[in-house]
Amino acid sequence: KLTTVEEFEAATEKLLETGKKVGADAWQYRAAKQTPHCKFGEQGVCCRICAMGPCRITPKAPRGICGCDVHGIVGRNYLKFTAGGAATHSDHGREICHTLYCAKPEGPYKVKDPEKLIRIAKEWGVETEGKDIYDLAHEMAYLGMSEYGKVFGTQNFLKRAPQHTQEIWEREEIAPRAIDREVSCSLHMSHMGCSSLPEALIRQSLRAGLSDGWGGSMAGTEFSDVLFGTPKPIETEANLGVMVAENVNIVVHGHDPSLSEMICEYADDPEMIAYAKEMGAKGITVSGVCCTSNEVAMRRGIPMAGNFLQQENVVLTGACEAIVVDVQCIFPALGPLSKCFHTKFVTTSPIAQMPDAEYIRFNAETAGENAKAIVKMAIENFKNRKPELVHIPDMKQKATVGYSVEAIVKTLDGVANSQVDEMGTTKPLLECITSGVIRGAVAMVGCNNPKVRPDTAHIELMKKMIANDIIIIASGCSAQAAARAGLMDKEAKELCGAGLKRVCELADIPPVLHMGSCVDISRMMILAAELAKDSGLNISQLPVVGCAPEWMSEKAVSIGNYVVATGIDTFLGVDPYVSGSDQIAQLLTEGVRDWVEAAYTVEKDIDKLGDAMIARIEEKRTALGI
Ligand code: BF8
Ligand code: SF4
């Protein structure tokens, strides 16, 4: 049985009651105070990139002081937004490369998937024969970091795309060069007095996005797998009920698995567990919020307490000894909120420093000591709990997660007929799609946003898709919404159409496959590339679409741009501040199709959004004659 959004909301209400007792603020109250939002900001027509402004475009004032029109302003804002996202994801990837550079056989960071390391090295033309695996790791980490500032050429990973896609990127001059260069170039182009031509701004937005998806994010995913293991199907649980009242609860939040992996490692240490018992707890429970939760769920089965808009709820349970964060999507609200409870809010990265936090600087070189200190701090905080404030909503769902591309291909091998099918390919999946047993696939990704009733769009759209025999691959907070609702339980096959249900039974999979965190949308790109190569089709011909119905972050726009630029139509439920310019909106929703064979659709009505995705998938099928 699925957990409904109404049940999520009732649980939240109860937690907010606890919050009221201690004078806690919450996003629900702040959102109410911030609405209605500024119309100029919403439409993207406000410019404050030089000190002659701010200028805002109205019918009476159609140009800024420099003469820039609304299309230039909206386009520049869009490009800056993209650059923010590309920088953020890519810097995460760089951190992972750095962690790999620090890997040592004696730990704390080891090479857990040497095979994958060798595979990537061969792809990049690096000699692997007779090399010590750690020497190779350091060499590849160095090369990985060099991708950010390479002087000539384009990103190494682009060669993974089908020939046709690579040709498009070359032809349209959007093949990303050095990752840092694309981010810098975007900020340069959107400086006062540079580009105001919509085509140029949107073209660079695609290129910066590609430097993320096929550059920084892909490095983040691939080298995380090398370090921490490539995910394979694993059982876990999701929703706030995964926290355990009798245990020391440590919640990891953020994105970089370098931190969360170490916390999990030390929370599992018998010495630490014994210490927790000494302090009056029964044990230690690590659970997660946001993408770092996805990382450790995929590799270790660590339960997922919640997604983006649940981060405050974790503290509101009164049972969180420490919420340990690294980078991205962390509410600064956690500082003051944790002060209302006994919770320690621990920041660890120079990239994400916040007031009202305990800052324990986390370093790849000293990771072991840092993680131990944090776990110890949480244990010692157990005695400070206020029992009268403890309330953990009794709701959780089972979930099977861990569907890397490697795991999907392996699962497909299990259902393939070894007499006729080629093993180690996506062909069995293609056969299901061709025969119509599965109509297509939707990549559901992205955040929560108070502008959309949280989680509803994710869950309702997924239910609608699977009922129509469309399989879902999910990542980020969308994946967590699915897991919390119960859509990653294999029993969710009962909600599928007959075709997809049969596939779920045969392959022993849930209808919604968890592919990881948001950087792992690069996995989805690789899957799409493999499907295209195995079928001999172009990516844009596949009955596959992307969807971010509740997105909120700059990263999400960067992702959208690389998904579209890879040839996959992308459906958004929130407008990316471009409604103020018909030219920019037209380019994103139609014009870019002439360049990259895909475009955006923005539709705030969830039902219509779902219908539009199904229609697009069916159109693609008709065009293929299947
Ligand atoms: O990178 S889905 S709220 S947690 S931005 Fe953030 Fe959005 Fe969640 Fe992960 Ni992605
Ligand atoms: Fe105004 Fe032009 Fe300066 Fe923007 S760049 S603030 S539109 S003068």
Side-chain angles (χ1 to χ4, degrees):
K1 191 183 159 286
L2 291 189
T3 308
T4 62
V5 171
E6 286 73 20
E7 287 169 303
F8 290 178
E9 286 170 349
T12 299
E13 275 310 313
K14 199 133 184 245
L15 291 169
L16 290 174
E17 289 302 315
T18 314
K20 276 188 194 141
K21 285 187 207 152
V22 293
D25 196 6
W27 66 260
Q28 287 84 347
Y29 312 133
R30 295 189 297 272
K33 288 182 196 151
Q34 287 292 346
T35 38
H37 294 281
C38 163
K39 283 276 169 272
F40 301 104
E42 242 177 5
Q43 295 168 358
V45 301
C46 171
C47 182
R48 48 175 293 283
I49 67 168
C50 95
M52 293 193 284
C55 300
R56 49 192 202 186
I57 301 304
T58 62
K60 269 207 326 228
R63 287 183 186 266
I65 293 171
C66 65
C68 191
D69 66 8
V70 74
H71 312 297
I73 290 176
V74 171
R76 283 195 307 226
N77 287 342
Y78 185 82
L79 178 55
K80 279 194 196 292
F81 212 89
T82 306
T88 304
H89 267 155
S90 298
D91 212 32
H92 166 165
R94 173 171 16 221
E95 287 292 322
I96 296 294
C97 292
H98 181 254
T99 306
L100 183 64
Y101 193 73
C102 297
K104 291 195 262 293
E106 63 276 15
Y109 295 110
K110 299 193 172 74
V111 171
K112 284 214 183 131
D113 192 342
E115 247 173 68
K116 185 153 188 172
L117 176 64
I118 292 169
R119 186 148 47 89
I120 305 168
K122 287 191 171 144
E123 235 184 279
W124 285 15
V126 171
E127 185 54 57
T128 58
E129 276 318 303
K131 246 181 222 166
D132 174 80
I133 199 74
Y134 282 85
D135 288 341
L136 183 62
H138 301 154
E139 188 177 344
M140 288 302 291
Y142 190 88
L143 278 178
M145 289 188 271
S146 307
E147 285 297 283
Y148 288 79
K150 72 198 303 183
V151 184
F152 299 111
T154 52
Q155 287 298 299
N156 283 349
F157 282 130
L158 302 189
K159 295 188 196 79
R160 292 178 165 191
Q163 199 55 40
H164 176 74
T165 312
Q166 294 186 48
E167 281 164 17
I168 290 177
W169 293 338
E170 284 301 326
R171 184 190 73 210
E172 299 302 329
E173 289 186 50
I174 54 171
R177 302 155 296 179
I179 299 162
D180 289 347
R181 179 173 184 183
E182 297 309 349
V183 172
S184 292
C185 180
S186 302
L187 294 179
H188 186 177
M189 285 178 73
S190 57
H191 187 274
M192 191 273 154
C194 283
S195 286
S196 49
L197 187 69
E199 286 77 8
L201 293 163
I202 297 306
R203 207 179 278 278
Q204 180 59 21
S205 300
L206 298 182
R207 195 179 210 178
L210 285 169
S211 78
D212 166 0
W214 290 83
S217 273
M218 205 169 275
T221 296
E222 296 296 84
F223 293 126
S224 290
D225 284 356
V226 168
L227 277 166
F228 307 119
T230 303
K232 6 187 201 305
I234 186 167
E235 303 299 321
T236 186
E237 290 176 328
N239 222 343
L240 284 170
V242 303
M243 294 172 74
V244 180
E246 299 77 30
N247 288 356
V248 171
N249 285 295
I250 303 176
V251 177
V252 290
H253 176 12
H255 287 76
D256 186 341
S258 306
L259 171 74
S260 49
E261 279 282 334
M262 280 304 120
I263 299 286
C264 293
E265 200 66 47
Y266 281 90
D268 220 18
D269 181 353
E271 204 183 296
M272 286 291 159
I273 297 170
Y275 189 42
K277 288 186 176 155
E278 215 176 286
M279 291 289 142
K282 278 210 174 132
I284 305 173
T285 299
V286 180
S287 59
V289 174
C290 284
C291 281
T292 209
S293 169
N294 289 320
E295 299 274 358
V296 286
M298 292 273 283
R299 298 196 179 89
R300 292 175 177 259
I302 295 290
M304 299 175 275
N307 46 359
F308 181 59
L309 285 181
Q310 292 251 300
Q311 56 184 291
E312 290 174 300
N313 287 9
V314 168
V315 178
L316 288 167
T317 61
C320 173
E321 273 58 56
I323 180 158
V324 188
V325 306
D326 50 83
V327 290
Q328 303 167 25
C329 303
I330 300 146
F331 273 7
L334 291 177
L337 177 62
S338 62
K339 292 270 177 283
C340 298
F341 291 86
H342 74 302
T343 307
K344 299 271 186 205
F345 174 45
V346 186
T347 53
T348 60
S349 167
I351 304 279
Q353 305 182 54
M354 296 184 190
D356 299 312
E358 316 250 354
Y359 181 47
I360 298 185
R361 187 166 174 167
F362 194 82
N363 250 316
E365 291 82 359
T366 54
E369 293 155 45
N370 301 146
K372 207 168 169 180
I374 293 168
V375 173
K376 233 173 134 209
M377 179 195 270
I379 294 172
E380 286 165 1
N381 196 25
F382 183 74
K383 61 176 183 301
N384 298 324
R385 255 197 211 178
K386 299 184 186 93
E388 68 280 10
L389 296 180
V390 173
H391 163 69
I392 300 175
D394 180 23
M395 44 168 49
K396 61 179 176 186
Q397 286 278 3
K398 284 197 293 185
T400 307
V401 301
Y403 291 96
S404 57
V405 176
E406 290 86 338
I408 291 175
V409 169
K410 194 142 187 253
T411 305
L412 292 172
D413 278 350
V415 294
N417 178 346
S418 56
Q419 305 299 305
V420 279
D421 291 325
E422 218 177 299
M423 305 301 269
T425 69
T426 62
K427 284 186 180 161
L429 178 58
L430 285 164
E431 269 163 39
C432 293
I433 294 175
T434 312
S435 65
V437 178
I438 294 178
R439 306 299 295 172
V442 176
M444 291 286 299
V445 307
C447 328
N448 303 126
N449 186 328
K451 285 181 183 166
V452 182
R453 187 178 174 191
D455 297 323
T456 322
H458 291 299
I459 294 168
E460 291 308 315
L461 285 171
M462 288 188 207
K463 278 165 46 188
K464 183 165 177 149
M465 294 305 126
I466 62 176
N468 281 285
D469 289 323
I470 293 168
I471 193 166
I472 304 284
I473 50 175
S475 72
C477 290
S478 183
Q480 291 173 326
R484 288 168 51 227
L487 288 164
M488 286 180 178
D489 186 332
K490 287 176 188 166
E491 286 310 308
K493 66 173 192 236
E494 300 301 336
L495 303 166
C496 300
L500 181 55
K501 181 177 172 185
R502 211 158 64 235
V503 173
C504 288
E505 280 168 350
L506 266 174
D508 193 28
I509 52 169
V512 180
L513 299 178
H514 195 323
M515 288 193 81
S517 62
C518 289
V519 291
D520 291 339
I521 295 170
S522 62
R523 296 190 199 278
M524 297 176 176
M525 297 302 98
I526 297 169
L527 182 61
E530 289 306 307
L531 284 166
K533 288 187 224 165
D534 287 343
S535 62
L537 298 170
N538 299 332
I539 291 180
S540 61
Q541 290 176 292
L542 300 169
V544 171
V545 301
C547 178
E550 304 184 21
W551 74 273
M552 64 86 205
S553 77
E554 291 172 320
K555 291 180 285 175
V557 170
S558 176
I559 294 169
N561 287 342
Y562 74 69
V563 174
V564 166
T566 301
I568 301 171
D569 283 321
T570 297
F571 292 74
L572 304 178
V574 177
D575 174 65
Y577 300 145
V578 297
S579 61
S581 160
D582 53 353
Q583 289 186 18
I584 296 291
Q586 191 280 340
L587 263 178
L588 291 173
T589 56
E590 290 169 44
V592 294
R593 191 177 294 285
D594 293 339
W595 307 344
V596 294
E597 302 178 346
Y600 281 106
T601 299
V602 182
E603 175 56 67
K604 291 180 197 160
D605 181 318
I606 300 171
D607 220 38
K608 285 191 192 149
L609 188 69
D611 291 341
M613 291 199 285
I614 296 173
R616 190 65 49 85
I617 283 171
E618 292 301 329
E619 258 170 47
K620 302 244 176 205
R621 295 189 63 92
T622 310
L624 289 172
I626 57 174

